[in-house]
Amino acid sequence: MAKLKITLTKSIIGQRTAVKATVRSLGLKKIDSSVIHDDTPAIRGMIATCAHIVAVEEMK
């Protein structure tokens, strides 16, 4: 299964509550922190919610 590296690129200060909760549930805490998740539809939906403040890379 493919993996995704998700990096928080901007602050969550001033974001909607739903966006903040999604970022936290992805496991991101500080700017430039990264996590690796499996590429599933649930994770893709979470990324779509906060796409304006995260960067996504596909890993092999």
Side-chain angles (χ1 to χ4, degrees), residues 9-24:
T9 58
K10 294 184 180 179
S11 174
I12 61 171
I13 295 173
Q15 299 296 324
R16 295 176 314 181
T17 306
V19 173
K20 289 181 183 181
T22 303
V23 168
R24 294 289 183 213

Side-chain angles (χ1 to χ4, degrees), residues 24-45:
R24 294 289 183 213
S25 64
L26 282 170
L28 299 167
K29 295 183 179 181
K30 296 182 178 182
I31 296 176
D32 290 331
S33 64
S34 297
V35 292
I36 297 175
H37 286 288
D38 291 330
D39 188 4
T40 62
I43 296 296
R44 287 287 183 167

